[in-house]
Amino acid sequence: KVVNKMKRKYFLAHPFYQPLEGMFGAHTDLSYNTNSYDFTINQTVPVFDSLGGTADLYWNGHGGKWDMSGFSIKEDFSYGITDRIALMAMLQYDSNEYKFEWDDESPDDKMDDSGLNLIGFGGQWRFVDNEKWIGTASAYFQHQKDIANNFVLELKGGYKVSSSTIYGLARGWYVDLEGNSYGNGISGIN
């Protein structure tokens, strides 16, 4: 009975954390990512020399390995307009290295890229919070540099059991890619 009557406190690590009116919240996410795959080019593609002419080399059957490793730090900020409505802002800084390791005698191609990679803003509404249930709805926009604009809608609902919360999440994500060609490549070879 005491748990049911007490007002619950939601700490920053809780999935339903939202700052109250006039309060700020900040959440930092550090991550390290690595990706790689082996590839073989299975079409005859002319190689262009530095003057734009076609060289006598063809890539059919050549391949290698593509590698990416990177570190990112993302900061999510929130501010309580009321006890139930909050504004959100987000920033992400990335530092990545990309590399093609060719399977022949060609030297590896590498590229480093770092900088502010993502900015975003939005809002969150805690539409229910009683002794048994909690629910929030969020909508936000994210711009990922040179890749896409993302529009996200999120619904989160939870059932309170003793001092725990069992919850589910539904997220809709619309991705508006910039341009019309995507893949892995390297520019400004060093």
Side-chain angles (χ1 to χ4, degrees), residues 26-150:
H27 179 82
T28 304
D29 182 86
L30 301 173
S31 64
Y32 174 77
N33 301 297
T34 182
N35 296 291
S36 68
Y37 62 83
D38 297 323
F39 65 92
T40 301
I41 300 171
N42 61 4
Q43 25 180 313
T44 304
V45 179
V47 176
F48 296 96
D49 63 23
S50 60
L51 300 175
T54 304
D56 293 331
L57 301 173
Y58 291 88
W59 284 85
N60 192 33
H62 289 280
K65 183 177 183 179
W66 180 82
D67 275 314
M68 183 285 270
S69 61
F71 169 79
S72 69
I73 181 168
K74 183 172 185 262
E75 192 69 29
D76 293 319
F77 303 98
S78 52
Y79 174 74
I81 300 289
T82 71
D83 283 353
R84 293 190 173 265
I85 297 174
L87 295 177
M88 302 183 308
M90 53 212 73
L91 296 170
Q92 180 172 308
Y93 176 87
D94 291 333
S95 179
N96 298 306
E97 180 183 77
Y98 307 94
K99 182 168 43 172
F100 279 109
E101 296 175 356
W102 301 103
D103 61 5
D104 58 12
E105 300 299 317
S106 300
D108 295 343
D109 293 316
K110 293 190 238 180
M111 181 179 101
D112 294 325
D113 182 31
S114 61
L116 188 62
N117 184 45
L118 182 138
I119 59 171
F121 60 89
Q124 183 178 27
W125 172 41
R126 188 171 50 236
F127 58 87
V128 65
D129 188 3
N130 57 42
E131 56 275 346
K132 290 289 182 187
W133 297 96
I134 185 167
T136 59
S138 303
Y140 51 94
F141 166 82
Q142 294 176 329
H143 171 72
Q144 193 170 4
K145 180 182 166 193
D146 299 328
I147 297 177
N149 292 317
N150 304 308

Side-chain angles (χ1 to χ4, degrees), residues 164-175:
S164 299
T165 304
I166 299 168
Y167 73 97
L169 167 72
R171 182 179 291 149
W173 206 302
Y174 175 77
V175 179

